[in-house]
Amino acid sequence: MANSTVKRFLPLSLTAFVILLDQITKALVVKYIPENTIYKSFFWDFLEIIHVRNDAIAFSIGSALDVPIKIVFFIILPIILMVLVIYCVLSTKTDKDFTFFQKWCLAAIAGGGIGNLIDRVFRQLRVVDWISTDMYGFLGFDRFPTYNIADASIVVSVCLILLSFLIGERKKN
């Protein structure tokens, strides 16, 4: 019984790790890099460490929205979603829907979501972004929109969970 409880809560260690790493890196960026400046470039400018703030969601979607609407869509709705994601990780009722691996992916998504929620609540609805990568013109981008550890955790985890669903469906067929 105790072993199954530990196993059920174990993915939340990844949630905590993502939140911690995200918030530490953002705090360092805020402390040492002036806003809207490039700190350092690596690998022939492929990677830049930069300090920018995003007052919207991915690709600056929603930056022109009024503050009350941003509070609903960028704070309240994400809180509800994070509660649902954590419920999916912890609940025995979701064991038939998600594998243990998929629950780890959900835990990483929750960590990224909570990391960005912390910014929105404590940094006037503005998320600290600091990783900029060159796109070499791919999809019309010179540079990919600047992101952070939380964003990366969400994107990688969503890709992994979708891939695991696809592979799982193939195995069933």
Side-chain angles (χ1 to χ4, degrees):
M1 179 79 176
N3 193 19
S4 65
T5 302
V6 169
K7 184 177 179 185
R8 184 157 310 285
F9 280 85
L10 194 58
L12 293 185
S13 64
L14 180 57
T15 304
F17 176 74
V18 170
I19 294 167
L20 189 63
L21 184 62
D22 179 63
Q23 289 301 305
I24 288 171
T25 56
K26 288 174 179 175
L28 291 170
V29 166
V30 168
K31 183 173 181 174
Y32 293 110
I33 305 171
E35 194 171 336
N36 297 317
T37 61
I38 298 170
Y39 171 71
K40 192 124 178 135
S41 294
F42 301 95
F43 311 113
W44 306 275
D45 294 336
F46 170 74
L47 173 68
E48 293 178 344
I49 306 302
I50 184 172
H51 179 181
V52 295
R53 304 283 178 109
N54 185 357
D55 66 347
I57 57 173
F59 305 100
S60 297
I61 296 170
S63 61
L65 294 173
D66 292 331
V67 171
I69 294 171
K70 284 184 179 182
I71 290 171
V72 170
F73 284 101
F74 300 164
I75 295 178
I76 296 171
L77 184 60
I79 288 171
I80 294 167
L81 289 173
M82 291 306 99
V83 168
L84 288 172
V85 168
I86 291 171
Y87 170 81
C88 288
V89 171
L90 296 178
S91 177
T92 57
K93 294 178 182 177
T94 61
D95 287 349
K96 66 183 180 322
D97 301 314
F98 298 104
T99 66
F100 192 59
F101 173 77
Q102 291 165 343
K103 288 191 176 204
W104 277 88
C105 291
L106 289 172
I109 292 168
I114 293 167
N116 281 336
L117 267 169
I118 291 169
D119 278 21
R120 289 196 179 106
V121 169
F122 295 104
R123 292 192 169 108
Q124 294 82 36
L125 293 170
R126 297 170 70 219
V127 174
V128 175
D129 287 332
W130 59 273
I131 304 167
S132 177
T133 51
D134 198 331
M135 292 286 290
Y136 303 107
F138 182 68
L139 299 177
F141 288 107
D142 287 329
R143 299 199 71 77
F144 193 78
T146 309
Y147 57 99
N148 56 47
I149 299 291
D151 298 334
S153 177
I154 292 167
V155 170
V156 169
S157 299
V158 165
C159 290
L160 287 173
I161 201 168
L162 289 175
L163 188 61
S164 73
F165 280 127
L166 289 172
I167 291 169
E169 284 300 313
R170 282 189 175 168
K171 284 183 180 178
K172 287 180 185 176
N173 295 335

PDB file of all heavy atoms in Angstrom, residues 131-166:
ATOM      1  N   ILE A 131      15.552  32.251 -23.374  1.00  0.00           N
ATOM      2  CA  ILE A 131      16.266  31.383 -24.309  1.00  0.00           C
ATOM      3  C   ILE A 131      15.824  31.749 -25.729  1.00  0.00           C
ATOM      4  O   ILE A 131      14.637  31.685 -26.046  1.00  0.00           O
ATOM      5  CB  ILE A 131      15.970  29.894 -24.042  1.00  0.00           C
ATOM      6  CG1 ILE A 131      16.298  29.513 -22.592  1.00  0.00           C
ATOM      7  CG2 ILE A 131      16.743  29.016 -25.033  1.00  0.00           C
ATOM      8  CD1 ILE A 131      15.757  28.159 -22.169  1.00  0.00           C
ATOM      9  N   SER A 132      16.782  32.116 -26.559  1.00  0.00           N
ATOM     10  CA  SER A 132      16.490  32.470 -27.945  1.00  0.00           C
ATOM     11  C   SER A 132      17.348  31.615 -28.866  1.00  0.00           C
ATOM     12  O   SER A 132      18.568  31.546 -28.684  1.00  0.00           O
ATOM     13  CB  SER A 132      16.776  33.954 -28.178  1.00  0.00           C
ATOM     14  OG  SER A 132      16.571  34.295 -29.536  1.00  0.00           O
ATOM     15  N   THR A 133      16.709  30.961 -29.833  1.00  0.00           N
ATOM     16  CA  THR A 133      17.446  30.100 -30.755  1.00  0.00           C
ATOM     17  C   THR A 133      17.199  30.529 -32.202  1.00  0.00           C
ATOM     18  O   THR A 133      16.105  30.981 -32.552  1.00  0.00           O
ATOM     19  CB  THR A 133      17.036  28.617 -30.582  1.00  0.00           C
ATOM     20  OG1 THR A 133      15.616  28.520 -30.630  1.00  0.00           O
ATOM     21  CG2 THR A 133      17.531  28.061 -29.263  1.00  0.00           C
ATOM     22  N   ASP A 134      18.227  30.369 -33.011  1.00  0.00           N
ATOM     23  CA  ASP A 134      18.166  30.732 -34.420  1.00  0.00           C
ATOM     24  C   ASP A 134      17.333  29.697 -35.171  1.00  0.00           C
ATOM     25  O   ASP A 134      17.454  28.500 -34.931  1.00  0.00           O
ATOM     26  CB  ASP A 134      19.588  30.788 -34.994  1.00  0.00           C
ATOM     27  CG  ASP A 134      19.667  31.561 -36.293  1.00  0.00           C
ATOM     28  OD1 ASP A 134      18.660  31.583 -37.042  1.00  0.00           O
ATOM     29  OD2 ASP A 134      20.728  32.140 -36.559  1.00  0.00           O
ATOM     30  N   MET A 135      16.495  30.161 -36.074  1.00  0.00           N
ATOM     31  CA  MET A 135      15.660  29.265 -36.882  1.00  0.00           C
ATOM     32  C   MET A 135      16.159  29.164 -38.324  1.00  0.00           C
ATOM     33  O   MET A 135      15.607  28.415 -39.116  1.00  0.00           O
ATOM     34  CB  MET A 135      14.213  29.755 -36.883  1.00  0.00           C
ATOM     35  CG  MET A 135      13.521  29.643 -35.546  1.00  0.00           C
ATOM     36  SD  MET A 135      13.089  27.972 -35.113  1.00  0.00           S
ATOM     37  CE  MET A 135      11.796  27.632 -36.277  1.00  0.00           C
ATOM     38  N   TYR A 136      17.163  29.969 -38.659  1.00  0.00           N
ATOM     39  CA  TYR A 136      17.748  29.950 -40.012  1.00  0.00           C
ATOM     40  C   TYR A 136      16.688  30.104 -41.097  1.00  0.00           C
ATOM     41  O   TYR A 136      16.771  29.499 -42.158  1.00  0.00           O
ATOM     42  CB  TYR A 136      18.553  28.672 -40.231  1.00  0.00           C
ATOM     43  CG  TYR A 136      19.646  28.484 -39.211  1.00  0.00           C
ATOM     44  CD1 TYR A 136      19.525  27.518 -38.212  1.00  0.00           C
ATOM     45  CD2 TYR A 136      20.790  29.275 -39.227  1.00  0.00           C
ATOM     46  CE1 TYR A 136      20.517  27.356 -37.265  1.00  0.00           C
ATOM     47  CE2 TYR A 136      21.798  29.115 -38.276  1.00  0.00           C
ATOM     48  CZ  TYR A 136      21.653  28.162 -37.303  1.00  0.00           C
ATOM     49  OH  TYR A 136      22.629  28.002 -36.358  1.00  0.00           O
ATOM     50  N   GLY A 137      15.670  30.902 -40.819  1.00  0.00           N
ATOM     51  CA  GLY A 137      14.630  31.163 -41.811  1.00  0.00           C
ATOM     52  C   GLY A 137      13.543  30.106 -41.897  1.00  0.00           C
ATOM     53  O   GLY A 137      12.581  30.274 -42.647  1.00  0.00           O
ATOM     54  N   PHE A 138      13.670  29.029 -41.119  1.00  0.00           N
ATOM     55  CA  PHE A 138      12.662  27.960 -41.149  1.00  0.00           C
ATOM     56  C   PHE A 138      11.300  28.512 -40.733  1.00  0.00           C
ATOM     57  O   PHE A 138      11.193  29.234 -39.735  1.00  0.00           O
ATOM     58  CB  PHE A 138      13.088  26.806 -40.232  1.00  0.00           C
ATOM     59  CG  PHE A 138      12.150  25.641 -40.235  1.00  0.00           C
ATOM     60  CD1 PHE A 138      12.014  24.842 -41.360  1.00  0.00           C
ATOM     61  CD2 PHE A 138      11.393  25.348 -39.119  1.00  0.00           C
ATOM     62  CE1 PHE A 138      11.143  23.765 -41.368  1.00  0.00           C
ATOM     63  CE2 PHE A 138      10.521  24.273 -39.104  1.00  0.00           C
ATOM     64  CZ  PHE A 138      10.395  23.477 -40.245  1.00  0.00           C
ATOM     65  N   LEU A 139      10.277  28.208 -41.493  1.00  0.00           N
ATOM     66  CA  LEU A 139       8.906  28.695 -41.265  1.00  0.00           C
ATOM     67  C   LEU A 139       8.828  30.219 -41.260  1.00  0.00           C
ATOM     68  O   LEU A 139       7.932  30.804 -40.647  1.00  0.00           O
ATOM     69  CB  LEU A 139       8.337  28.134 -39.955  1.00  0.00           C
ATOM     70  CG  LEU A 139       8.217  26.620 -39.858  1.00  0.00           C
ATOM     71  CD1 LEU A 139       7.719  26.220 -38.474  1.00  0.00           C
ATOM     72  CD2 LEU A 139       7.276  26.066 -40.930  1.00  0.00           C
ATOM     73  N   GLY A 140       9.788  30.879 -41.894  1.00  0.00           N
ATOM     74  CA  GLY A 140       9.794  32.332 -41.968  1.00  0.00           C
ATOM     75  C   GLY A 140      10.347  33.031 -40.736  1.00  0.00           C
ATOM     76  O   GLY A 140      10.298  34.249 -40.640  1.00  0.00           O
ATOM     77  N   PHE A 141      10.869  32.280 -39.783  1.00  0.00           N
ATOM     78  CA  PHE A 141      11.428  32.863 -38.563  1.00  0.00           C
ATOM     79  C   PHE A 141      12.938  33.029 -38.688  1.00  0.00           C
ATOM     80  O   PHE A 141      13.633  32.093 -39.085  1.00  0.00           O
ATOM     81  CB  PHE A 141      11.189  31.955 -37.341  1.00  0.00           C
ATOM     82  CG  PHE A 141       9.774  31.896 -36.858  1.00  0.00           C
ATOM     83  CD1 PHE A 141       9.006  30.764 -37.072  1.00  0.00           C
ATOM     84  CD2 PHE A 141       9.220  32.955 -36.168  1.00  0.00           C
ATOM     85  CE1 PHE A 141       7.707  30.683 -36.613  1.00  0.00           C
ATOM     86  CE2 PHE A 141       7.920  32.895 -35.708  1.00  0.00           C
ATOM     87  CZ  PHE A 141       7.160  31.755 -35.929  1.00  0.00           C
ATOM     88  N   ASP A 142      13.438  34.203 -38.330  1.00  0.00           N
ATOM     89  CA  ASP A 142      14.884  34.346 -38.162  1.00  0.00           C
ATOM     90  C   ASP A 142      15.279  33.682 -36.849  1.00  0.00           C
ATOM     91  O   ASP A 142      16.234  32.931 -36.781  1.00  0.00           O
ATOM     92  CB  ASP A 142      15.309  35.818 -38.139  1.00  0.00           C
ATOM     93  CG  ASP A 142      15.229  36.439 -39.519  1.00  0.00           C
ATOM     94  OD1 ASP A 142      15.436  35.717 -40.511  1.00  0.00           O
ATOM     95  OD2 ASP A 142      14.941  37.648 -39.596  1.00  0.00           O
ATOM     96  N   ARG A 143      14.515  34.004 -35.797  1.00  0.00           N
ATOM     97  CA  ARG A 143      14.738  33.414 -34.489  1.00  0.00           C
ATOM     98  C   ARG A 143      13.407  32.866 -33.981  1.00  0.00           C
ATOM     99  O   ARG A 143      12.355  33.440 -34.230  1.00  0.00           O
ATOM    100  CB  ARG A 143      15.301  34.439 -33.495  1.00  0.00           C
ATOM    101  CG  ARG A 143      16.651  35.000 -33.946  1.00  0.00           C
ATOM    102  CD  ARG A 143      17.414  35.631 -32.812  1.00  0.00           C
ATOM    103  NE  ARG A 143      17.933  34.679 -31.857  1.00  0.00           N
ATOM    104  CZ  ARG A 143      19.017  33.921 -32.042  1.00  0.00           C
ATOM    105  NH1 ARG A 143      19.690  34.001 -33.150  1.00  0.00           N
ATOM    106  NH2 ARG A 143      19.422  33.086 -31.112  1.00  0.00           N
ATOM    107  N   PHE A 144      13.487  31.768 -33.257  1.00  0.00           N
ATOM    108  CA  PHE A 144      12.296  31.208 -32.625  1.00  0.00           C
ATOM    109  C   PHE A 144      11.882  32.158 -31.507  1.00  0.00           C
ATOM    110  O   PHE A 144      12.736  32.762 -30.863  1.00  0.00           O
ATOM    111  CB  PHE A 144      12.612  29.815 -32.059  1.00  0.00           C
ATOM    112  CG  PHE A 144      11.406  29.043 -31.666  1.00  0.00           C
ATOM    113  CD1 PHE A 144      10.630  28.425 -32.635  1.00  0.00           C
ATOM    114  CD2 PHE A 144      11.029  28.941 -30.343  1.00  0.00           C
ATOM    115  CE1 PHE A 144       9.500  27.703 -32.280  1.00  0.00           C
ATOM    116  CE2 PHE A 144       9.895  28.224 -29.973  1.00  0.00           C
ATOM    117  CZ  PHE A 144       9.127  27.609 -30.946  1.00  0.00           C
ATOM    118  N   PRO A 145      10.572  32.313 -31.238  1.00  0.00           N
ATOM    119  CA  PRO A 145      10.174  33.181 -30.119  1.00  0.00           C
ATOM    120  C   PRO A 145      10.880  32.764 -28.827  1.00  0.00           C
ATOM    121  O   PRO A 145      11.009  31.574 -28.528  1.00  0.00           O
ATOM    122  CB  PRO A 145       8.662  32.969 -30.027  1.00  0.00           C
ATOM    123  CG  PRO A 145       8.275  32.608 -31.434  1.00  0.00           C
ATOM    124  CD  PRO A 145       9.422  31.775 -31.961  1.00  0.00           C
ATOM    125  N   THR A 146      11.321  33.740 -28.072  1.00  0.00           N
ATOM    126  CA  THR A 146      12.073  33.500 -26.849  1.00  0.00           C
ATOM    127  C   THR A 146      11.214  32.716 -25.856  1.00  0.00           C
ATOM    128  O   THR A 146      10.019  32.945 -25.733  1.00  0.00           O
ATOM    129  CB  THR A 146      12.532  34.839 -26.248  1.00  0.00           C
ATOM    130  OG1 THR A 146      13.177  35.587 -27.280  1.00  0.00           O
ATOM    131  CG2 THR A 146      13.493  34.641 -25.102  1.00  0.00           C
ATOM    132  N   TYR A 147      11.857  31.783 -25.144  1.00  0.00           N
ATOM    133  CA  TYR A 147      11.134  30.903 -24.230  1.00  0.00           C
ATOM    134  C   TYR A 147      11.942  30.688 -22.949  1.00  0.00           C
ATOM    135  O   TYR A 147      12.978  31.298 -22.740  1.00  0.00           O
ATOM    136  CB  TYR A 147      10.789  29.570 -24.911  1.00  0.00           C
ATOM    137  CG  TYR A 147      11.974  28.806 -25.461  1.00  0.00           C
ATOM    138  CD1 TYR A 147      12.531  27.749 -24.756  1.00  0.00           C
ATOM    139  CD2 TYR A 147      12.529  29.131 -26.700  1.00  0.00           C
ATOM    140  CE1 TYR A 147      13.603  27.026 -25.265  1.00  0.00           C
ATOM    141  CE2 TYR A 147      13.596  28.419 -27.216  1.00  0.00           C
ATOM    142  CZ  TYR A 147      14.136  27.377 -26.496  1.00  0.00           C
ATOM    143  OH  TYR A 147      15.189  26.678 -27.002  1.00  0.00           O
ATOM    144  N   ASN A 148      11.437  29.821 -22.077  1.00  0.00           N
ATOM    145  CA  ASN A 148      12.077  29.548 -20.790  1.00  0.00           C
ATOM    146  C   ASN A 148      11.977  28.050 -20.479  1.00  0.00           C
ATOM    147  O   ASN A 148      11.459  27.279 -21.288  1.00  0.00           O
ATOM    148  CB  ASN A 148      11.435  30.412 -19.688  1.00  0.00           C
ATOM    149  CG  ASN A 148       9.938  30.200 -19.597  1.00  0.00           C
ATOM    150  OD1 ASN A 148       9.441  29.081 -19.578  1.00  0.00           O
ATOM    151  ND2 ASN A 148       9.180  31.290 -19.562  1.00  0.00           N
ATOM    152  N   ILE A 149      12.463  27.653 -19.332  1.00  0.00           N
ATOM    153  CA  ILE A 149      12.439  26.237 -18.926  1.00  0.00           C
ATOM    154  C   ILE A 149      10.996  25.710 -18.852  1.00  0.00           C
ATOM    155  O   ILE A 149      10.716  24.589 -19.291  1.00  0.00           O
ATOM    156  CB  ILE A 149      13.146  26.039 -17.562  1.00  0.00           C
ATOM    157  CG1 ILE A 149      14.615  26.451 -17.642  1.00  0.00           C
ATOM    158  CG2 ILE A 149      12.974  24.611 -17.044  1.00  0.00           C
ATOM    159  CD1 ILE A 149      15.493  25.557 -18.470  1.00  0.00           C
ATOM    160  N   ALA A 150      10.088  26.509 -18.304  1.00  0.00           N
ATOM    161  CA  ALA A 150       8.688  26.077 -18.193  1.00  0.00           C
ATOM    162  C   ALA A 150       8.104  25.795 -19.575  1.00  0.00           C
ATOM    163  O   ALA A 150       7.462  24.762 -19.784  1.00  0.00           O
ATOM    164  CB  ALA A 150       7.860  27.143 -17.473  1.00  0.00           C
ATOM    165  N   ASP A 151       8.336  26.714 -20.514  1.00  0.00           N
ATOM    166  CA  ASP A 151       7.830  26.522 -21.874  1.00  0.00           C
ATOM    167  C   ASP A 151       8.407  25.256 -22.498  1.00  0.00           C
ATOM    168  O   ASP A 151       7.685  24.471 -23.122  1.00  0.00           O
ATOM    169  CB  ASP A 151       8.203  27.718 -22.763  1.00  0.00           C
ATOM    170  CG  ASP A 151       7.606  29.035 -22.292  1.00  0.00           C
ATOM    171  OD1 ASP A 151       6.551  29.018 -21.630  1.00  0.00           O
ATOM    172  OD2 ASP A 151       8.201  30.085 -22.594  1.00  0.00           O
ATOM    173  N   ALA A 152       9.715  25.083 -22.355  1.00  0.00           N
ATOM    174  CA  ALA A 152      10.379  23.912 -22.932  1.00  0.00           C
ATOM    175  C   ALA A 152       9.823  22.620 -22.330  1.00  0.00           C
ATOM    176  O   ALA A 152       9.587  21.637 -23.042  1.00  0.00           O
ATOM    177  CB  ALA A 152      11.886  23.998 -22.721  1.00  0.00           C
ATOM    178  N   SER A 153       9.591  22.630 -21.028  1.00  0.00           N
ATOM    179  CA  SER A 153       9.044  21.454 -20.354  1.00  0.00           C
ATOM    180  C   SER A 153       7.664  21.107 -20.888  1.00  0.00           C
ATOM    181  O   SER A 153       7.353  19.939 -21.141  1.00  0.00           O
ATOM    182  CB  SER A 153       8.985  21.715 -18.841  1.00  0.00           C
ATOM    183  OG  SER A 153       8.407  20.620 -18.176  1.00  0.00           O
ATOM    184  N   ILE A 154       6.847  22.118 -21.091  1.00  0.00           N
ATOM    185  CA  ILE A 154       5.498  21.887 -21.609  1.00  0.00           C
ATOM    186  C   ILE A 154       5.558  21.327 -23.034  1.00  0.00           C
ATOM    187  O   ILE A 154       4.922  20.319 -23.341  1.00  0.00           O
ATOM    188  CB  ILE A 154       4.668  23.195 -21.568  1.00  0.00           C
ATOM    189  CG1 ILE A 154       4.390  23.599 -20.120  1.00  0.00           C
ATOM    190  CG2 ILE A 154       3.359  23.032 -22.347  1.00  0.00           C
ATOM    191  CD1 ILE A 154       3.852  25.013 -19.958  1.00  0.00           C
ATOM    192  N   VAL A 155       6.330  21.969 -23.897  1.00  0.00           N
ATOM    193  CA  VAL A 155       6.385  21.553 -25.303  1.00  0.00           C
ATOM    194  C   VAL A 155       6.949  20.137 -25.446  1.00  0.00           C
ATOM    195  O   VAL A 155       6.370  19.293 -26.148  1.00  0.00           O
ATOM    196  CB  VAL A 155       7.193  22.566 -26.146  1.00  0.00           C
ATOM    197  CG1 VAL A 155       7.477  22.030 -27.536  1.00  0.00           C
ATOM    198  CG2 VAL A 155       6.457  23.894 -26.230  1.00  0.00           C
ATOM    199  N   VAL A 156       8.059  19.869 -24.790  1.00  0.00           N
ATOM    200  CA  VAL A 156       8.670  18.535 -24.890  1.00  0.00           C
ATOM    201  C   VAL A 156       7.712  17.479 -24.327  1.00  0.00           C
ATOM    202  O   VAL A 156       7.526  16.411 -24.929  1.00  0.00           O
ATOM    203  CB  VAL A 156      10.038  18.499 -24.169  1.00  0.00           C
ATOM    204  CG1 VAL A 156      10.546  17.077 -24.023  1.00  0.00           C
ATOM    205  CG2 VAL A 156      11.053  19.363 -24.922  1.00  0.00           C
ATOM    206  N   SER A 157       7.088  17.767 -23.209  1.00  0.00           N
ATOM    207  CA  SER A 157       6.182  16.794 -22.591  1.00  0.00           C
ATOM    208  C   SER A 157       4.937  16.548 -23.425  1.00  0.00           C
ATOM    209  O   SER A 157       4.472  15.408 -23.528  1.00  0.00           O
ATOM    210  CB  SER A 157       5.792  17.261 -21.186  1.00  0.00           C
ATOM    211  OG  SER A 157       6.942  17.359 -20.385  1.00  0.00           O
ATOM    212  N   VAL A 158       4.382  17.599 -24.021  1.00  0.00           N
ATOM    213  CA  VAL A 158       3.213  17.414 -24.893  1.00  0.00           C
ATOM    214  C   VAL A 158       3.605  16.555 -26.091  1.00  0.00           C
ATOM    215  O   VAL A 158       2.864  15.637 -26.475  1.00  0.00           O
ATOM    216  CB  VAL A 158       2.636  18.783 -25.338  1.00  0.00           C
ATOM    217  CG1 VAL A 158       1.669  18.613 -26.507  1.00  0.00           C
ATOM    218  CG2 VAL A 158       1.942  19.468 -24.172  1.00  0.00           C
ATOM    219  N   CYS A 159       4.766  16.813 -26.683  1.00  0.00           N
ATOM    220  CA  CYS A 159       5.237  15.993 -27.817  1.00  0.00           C
ATOM    221  C   CYS A 159       5.403  14.534 -27.400  1.00  0.00           C
ATOM    222  O   CYS A 159       4.978  13.620 -28.113  1.00  0.00           O
ATOM    223  CB  CYS A 159       6.551  16.536 -28.372  1.00  0.00           C
ATOM    224  SG  CYS A 159       6.362  18.107 -29.235  1.00  0.00           S
ATOM    225  N   LEU A 160       6.014  14.310 -26.235  1.00  0.00           N
ATOM    226  CA  LEU A 160       6.219  12.935 -25.760  1.00  0.00           C
ATOM    227  C   LEU A 160       4.904  12.228 -25.470  1.00  0.00           C
ATOM    228  O   LEU A 160       4.736  11.054 -25.802  1.00  0.00           O
ATOM    229  CB  LEU A 160       7.102  12.931 -24.512  1.00  0.00           C
ATOM    230  CG  LEU A 160       8.576  13.232 -24.730  1.00  0.00           C
ATOM    231  CD1 LEU A 160       9.298  13.376 -23.387  1.00  0.00           C
ATOM    232  CD2 LEU A 160       9.226  12.152 -25.581  1.00  0.00           C
ATOM    233  N   ILE A 161       3.975  12.924 -24.862  1.00  0.00           N
ATOM    234  CA  ILE A 161       2.702  12.278 -24.524  1.00  0.00           C
ATOM    235  C   ILE A 161       1.908  11.976 -25.795  1.00  0.00           C
ATOM    236  O   ILE A 161       1.294  10.907 -25.915  1.00  0.00           O
ATOM    237  CB  ILE A 161       1.892  13.096 -23.491  1.00  0.00           C
ATOM    238  CG1 ILE A 161       0.879  12.209 -22.775  1.00  0.00           C
ATOM    239  CG2 ILE A 161       1.198  14.288 -24.104  1.00  0.00           C
ATOM    240  CD1 ILE A 161       0.248  12.844 -21.560  1.00  0.00           C
ATOM    241  N   LEU A 162       1.927  12.891 -26.767  1.00  0.00           N
ATOM    242  CA  LEU A 162       1.240  12.616 -28.036  1.00  0.00           C
ATOM    243  C   LEU A 162       1.871  11.436 -28.759  1.00  0.00           C
ATOM    244  O   LEU A 162       1.167  10.568 -29.286  1.00  0.00           O
ATOM    245  CB  LEU A 162       1.255  13.859 -28.926  1.00  0.00           C
ATOM    246  CG  LEU A 162       0.374  15.021 -28.474  1.00  0.00           C
ATOM    247  CD1 LEU A 162       0.579  16.236 -29.367  1.00  0.00           C
ATOM    248  CD2 LEU A 162      -1.100  14.614 -28.447  1.00  0.00           C
ATOM    249  N   LEU A 163       3.195  11.398 -28.770  1.00  0.00           N
ATOM    250  CA  LEU A 163       3.909  10.285 -29.389  1.00  0.00           C
ATOM    251  C   LEU A 163       3.556   8.962 -28.692  1.00  0.00           C
ATOM    252  O   LEU A 163       3.325   7.943 -29.349  1.00  0.00           O
ATOM    253  CB  LEU A 163       5.410  10.538 -29.341  1.00  0.00           C
ATOM    254  CG  LEU A 163       6.300   9.579 -30.107  1.00  0.00           C
ATOM    255  CD1 LEU A 163       5.973   9.604 -31.593  1.00  0.00           C
ATOM    256  CD2 LEU A 163       7.757   9.935 -29.891  1.00  0.00           C
ATOM    257  N   SER A 164       3.482   8.997 -27.366  1.00  0.00           N
ATOM    258  CA  SER A 164       3.151   7.775 -26.629  1.00  0.00           C
ATOM    259  C   SER A 164       1.726   7.326 -26.916  1.00  0.00           C
ATOM    260  O   SER A 164       1.451   6.122 -26.977  1.00  0.00           O
ATOM    261  CB  SER A 164       3.365   7.963 -25.127  1.00  0.00           C
ATOM    262  OG  SER A 164       2.365   8.792 -24.570  1.00  0.00           O
ATOM    263  N   PHE A 165       0.800   8.256 -27.114  1.00  0.00           N
ATOM    264  CA  PHE A 165      -0.567   7.881 -27.498  1.00  0.00           C
ATOM    265  C   PHE A 165      -0.573   7.240 -28.880  1.00  0.00           C
ATOM    266  O   PHE A 165      -1.247   6.247 -29.111  1.00  0.00           O
ATOM    267  CB  PHE A 165      -1.500   9.090 -27.468  1.00  0.00           C
ATOM    268  CG  PHE A 165      -1.995   9.473 -26.115  1.00  0.00           C
ATOM    269  CD1 PHE A 165      -1.852  10.770 -25.652  1.00  0.00           C
ATOM    270  CD2 PHE A 165      -2.604   8.535 -25.268  1.00  0.00           C
ATOM    271  CE1 PHE A 165      -2.315  11.134 -24.405  1.00  0.00           C
ATOM    272  CE2 PHE A 165      -3.059   8.899 -24.009  1.00  0.00           C
ATOM    273  CZ  PHE A 165      -2.915  10.204 -23.575  1.00  0.00           C
ATOM    274  N   LEU A 166       0.185   7.825 -29.815  1.00  0.00           N
ATOM    275  CA  LEU A 166       0.250   7.263 -31.163  1.00  0.00           C
ATOM    276  C   LEU A 166       0.859   5.868 -31.171  1.00  0.00           C
ATOM    277  O   LEU A 166       0.349   4.965 -31.825  1.00  0.00           O
ATOM    278  CB  LEU A 166       1.062   8.177 -32.085  1.00  0.00           C
ATOM    279  CG  LEU A 166       0.392   9.506 -32.467  1.00  0.00           C
ATOM    280  CD1 LEU A 166       1.372  10.397 -33.221  1.00  0.00           C
ATOM    281  CD2 LEU A 166      -0.849   9.256 -33.304  1.00  0.00           C
TER     282      LEU A 166
END
